[in-house]
Amino acid sequence: MSYRELVFTVPAEIAEPLGDVLLELGALSVTVEDDAAGGYDENPLYGEPGLSPEVQAWDRSSVTALFNPEIDDSGATEFIPNLLASLEDAGFKLAIPQEKQVEDQDWVRLTQSQFAPIQIGKRIWVVPSWHDAPSDPNAICLAVDPGLAFGTGSHPTTHLCLLWLEEHKNLQSQSLLDYGCGSGILAIAAAKLGCAPVVGTDIDPQAMVAARSNSEINHTIISFVLPNENATELAAEAKYDIVMANILANPLQVLAPALVNKMRAGGQIVLSGVLARQAEEVIATYSQWLTLSVWKESEGWVCLHGTLNADSKSSISGQAQKKSSKLSLKAILLGLFFVLLVAFGEHISRNSLLPILAPRVDGTSNAVAVTTFSLLQQFDEKLCRSLGCINRPVSDFAAWKIISANLALENSPEALKTPANQSTLQVEIQNRLAINILWPYLEISLTDADESELKSIQFSPKEWLPANWQESHPDFLREGAPAAEIIHSDLPIALSQNTAGYRVRVFYLQSTTPSPHLTNGN
């Protein structure tokens, strides 16, 4: 039996809508490829988790539709003219497609033949289950099949991490955290090289399924946990000798505090998924905790390595002592606050001093400061009533924490047919101070692959606060955000051409200084 394959060459904007219509007209499958693939004009598309290219096609795209003459009339002489007429009725006026005959064969075996064993360094081999293991008695074989999650050893970033593990001989009984584990290949290699305990985590539940299955096949003992499982392996007090993360440059920068916090004093960090041109920026991000350097480079990608020494821990401890000193200073300022209120008047002092003195609601504030501030608030309210001042919320950047921000594409066929690809910004934001705070504006900046800003979109409180929340709090603009209030909002965004990343920040109109509370995304 043979299949009939038709290839249409079309502009990018109609490639995917055309594919949808071809499937509706009976095609078994549709693929979209770069018409210039392999040539000088080849145009690669790049995407990162949570954000894909605005148009998921190339300037000139080859749309290939596969038909089976045994179950439709695709073998008939008039099939192509009739198909072109149906496509024209659907709004696509196309030239006669190229035609190929595809002979039936063992597709599973053909696919498997494309994945041969991969040797990493001198000892590590990645061996799909359908291949025999190498005869070398010293070989360390990783049985990993291509499947649901990233990580087969073929990509340079994975290759670099595996090579780092192989070339470090002192892994016996070293604890390791594989952050963004994907298929679990790095965690499995670490376990086979002597690391224990080994923990892997990923935000993708399917990755957890693949990683646990691969671990079982490889007879390794590894804990694979999702970040939201509240597992002890990811608790604040859990520290590791080696923290390994093969993700991408922007997420590695956003996650820097969390990754460094999982390191023991003297522990090592290994970062991959970084292009050579991005290395300096990533190194600079981590420089406040440790010194990173390029360990190795492969095909334009680099692997970064650093060690958290005792001095770094002392520095962190010193920061904690500074924080304690700040708390003592707060207690002194609380006493002075009463004098300032009377001396300068309520309308001058309260808006600047209240945010400084207000304790946080996350449990990090001194108990004495919390009690004293509660008494202070009572005094402040009485003073306002006696002086006739307006007890309005204050504005303060430090109050706000962007808990999460994610730009997720809407992948419905209808969305893909629209000229401007729509996306949804999902954001969670919290007021962390024990006072009402003026609602801020939100700004999302879309960036290209070089992280240059493409456009900026601003939302007023009325635009980004959920409608149902506004209905239940009709005086929200006057009353401000209650202490500890967490707001989840979904905001529609029209992506710019060549969008490859984004940043989210809060700001107030009366300020020209950008807020330090900013979240990057890709």
Side-chain angles (χ1 to χ4, degrees):
M1 182 185 71
S2 62
Y3 297 88
R4 195 171 190 180
E5 187 178 81
L6 304 179
V7 183
F8 299 85
T9 302
V10 298
E13 58 269 17
I14 69 170
E16 292 213 16
L18 173 61
D20 293 338
V21 175
L22 287 168
L23 289 171
E24 292 172 3
L25 293 175
L28 294 177
S29 66
V30 173
T31 58
V32 180
E33 299 175 297
D34 186 359
D35 187 55
Y40 178 79
D41 295 327
E42 183 175 5
N43 180 27
L45 296 180
Y46 296 102
E48 296 188 8
L51 187 67
S52 298
E54 183 175 341
V55 178
Q56 300 196 43
W58 292 262
D59 295 338
R60 286 184 58 80
S61 297
S62 293
V63 180
T64 303
L66 189 68
F67 295 90
N68 183 353
E70 292 192 0
I71 61 175
D72 54 37
D73 62 348
S74 58
T77 305
E78 295 301 314
F79 175 71
I80 291 180
N82 292 338
L83 178 64
L84 290 173
S86 297
L87 289 172
E88 187 170 357
D89 291 340
F92 302 95
K93 190 171 183 178
L94 304 172
I96 296 175
Q98 295 179 341
E99 182 177 352
K100 298 178 183 178
Q101 294 296 318
V102 179
E103 298 301 326
D104 194 16
Q105 52 188 306
D106 188 339
W107 299 104
V108 172
R109 186 176 296 277
L110 177 63
T111 301
Q112 290 179 346
S113 68
Q114 300 174 18
F115 295 94
I118 301 172
Q119 184 175 8
I120 310 293
K122 297 179 180 179
R123 292 190 297 158
I124 295 179
W125 287 80
V126 182
V127 185
S129 59
W130 52 83
H131 279 283
D132 294 331
S135 57
D136 183 357
N138 296 317
I140 298 174
C141 296
L142 312 178
V144 178
D145 293 345
L148 295 175
F150 175 83
T152 61
S154 59
H155 196 274
T157 60
T158 310
H159 191 119
L160 285 167
C161 290
L162 291 172
L163 199 60
W164 188 93
L165 287 170
E166 182 187 279
E167 292 189 10
H168 286 73
K169 311 298 183 183
N170 57 340
L171 298 182
Q172 294 297 322
S173 301
Q174 293 276 297
S175 59
L176 180 140
L177 172 64
D178 180 5
Y179 201 101
C181 62
S183 68
I185 185 172
L186 301 182
I188 292 168
K192 287 199 169 189
L193 288 166
C195 287
V198 177
V199 175
T201 185
D202 200 293
I203 61 173
D204 184 0
Q206 285 190 320
M208 293 293 92
V209 173
R212 288 165 182 159
S213 174
N214 287 331
S215 176
E216 184 176 348
I217 292 171
N218 283 273
H219 308 291
T220 53
I221 300 175
I222 303 171
S223 297
F224 289 105
V225 294
L226 287 164
N228 58 1
E229 288 182 0
N230 295 321
T232 56
E233 291 89 346
L234 299 180
E237 62 274 12
K239 308 293 180 183
Y240 295 87
D241 297 310
I242 302 170
V243 174
M244 182 168 281
N246 178 21
I247 317 176
L248 288 168
N250 280 335
L252 286 174
Q253 292 178 74
V254 174
L255 292 167
L259 294 176
V260 173
N261 188 51
K262 304 313 295 178
M263 299 174 65
R264 286 187 180 143
Q268 302 180 82
I269 189 167
V270 182
L271 306 178
S272 194
V274 180
L275 291 168
R277 61 178 174 80
Q278 299 170 323
E280 288 187 9
E281 186 175 349
V282 176
I283 290 171
T285 300
Y286 283 79
S287 63
Q288 59 186 300
W289 300 288
L290 49 83
T291 300
L292 285 178
S293 59
V294 175
W295 180 71
K296 267 187 175 62
E297 180 175 347
S298 176
E299 298 180 32
W301 299 88
V302 297
C303 178
L304 303 176
H305 171 263
T307 300
L308 186 68
N309 55 37
D311 291 340
S312 299
K313 283 294 183 181
S314 299
S315 175
I316 295 173
S317 175
Q319 292 175 7
Q321 291 177 357
K322 289 180 181 178
K323 197 170 185 179
S324 176
S325 299
K326 288 181 180 178
L327 288 175
S328 300
L329 182 59
K330 261 191 178 181
I332 296 172
L333 289 174
L334 282 171
L336 294 175
F337 180 73
F338 291 98
V339 178
L340 290 171
L341 281 174
V342 177
F344 299 104
E346 174 67 8
H347 66 287
I348 295 176
S349 59
R350 75 183 308 274
N351 286 341
S352 58
L353 289 178
L354 278 177
I356 295 174
L357 301 174
R360 297 195 176 203
V361 295
D362 56 6
T364 60
S365 295
N366 184 284
V368 175
V370 172
T371 302
T372 305
F373 187 79
S374 177
L375 296 173
L376 174 62
Q377 282 184 298
Q378 297 175 29
F379 175 82
D380 177 56
E381 291 172 2
K382 291 179 180 179
L383 188 60
C384 261
R385 284 196 296 269
S386 63
L387 297 177
C389 62
I390 300 174
N391 190 7
R392 60 186 181 278
V394 298
S395 59
D396 184 59
F397 288 131
W400 296 105
K401 177 182 181 182
I402 299 175
I403 299 174
S404 65
N406 182 46
L407 194 61
L409 290 176
E410 298 172 1
N411 293 317
S412 66
E414 292 75 15
L416 291 173
K417 294 175 185 177
T418 58
N421 192 15
Q422 292 294 313
S423 180
T424 300
L425 173 65
Q426 299 175 326
V427 62
E428 277 193 348
I429 183 171
Q430 181 187 30
N431 170 18
R432 297 181 295 172
L433 295 186
I435 56 173
N436 284 22
I437 295 293
L438 189 69
W439 290 107
Y441 280 62
L442 283 185
E443 180 181 78
I444 177 170
S445 300
L446 302 179
T447 60
D448 59 18
D450 294 324
E451 300 185 13
S452 298
E453 184 174 306
L454 297 174
K455 75 173 181 178
S456 175
I457 307 169
Q458 296 179 354
F459 297 92
S460 68
K462 284 188 176 181
E463 292 171 324
W464 72 264
L465 281 168
N468 58 352
W469 198 94
Q470 295 186 38
E471 291 173 2
S472 60
H473 300 77
D475 295 329
F476 71 97
L477 288 178
R478 182 177 62 83
E479 295 175 352
E485 188 75 14
I486 298 177
I487 296 292
H488 176 89
S489 185
D490 295 330
L491 302 170
I493 300 289
L495 298 182
S496 299
Q497 184 73 21
N498 301 325
T499 299
Y502 61 95
R503 303 185 187 96
V504 179
R505 74 176 180 98
V506 298
F507 70 98
Y508 291 105
L509 284 180
Q510 64 267 33
S511 174
T512 58
T513 303
S515 165
H517 297 281
L518 180 145
T519 294
N520 290 308
N522 295 90

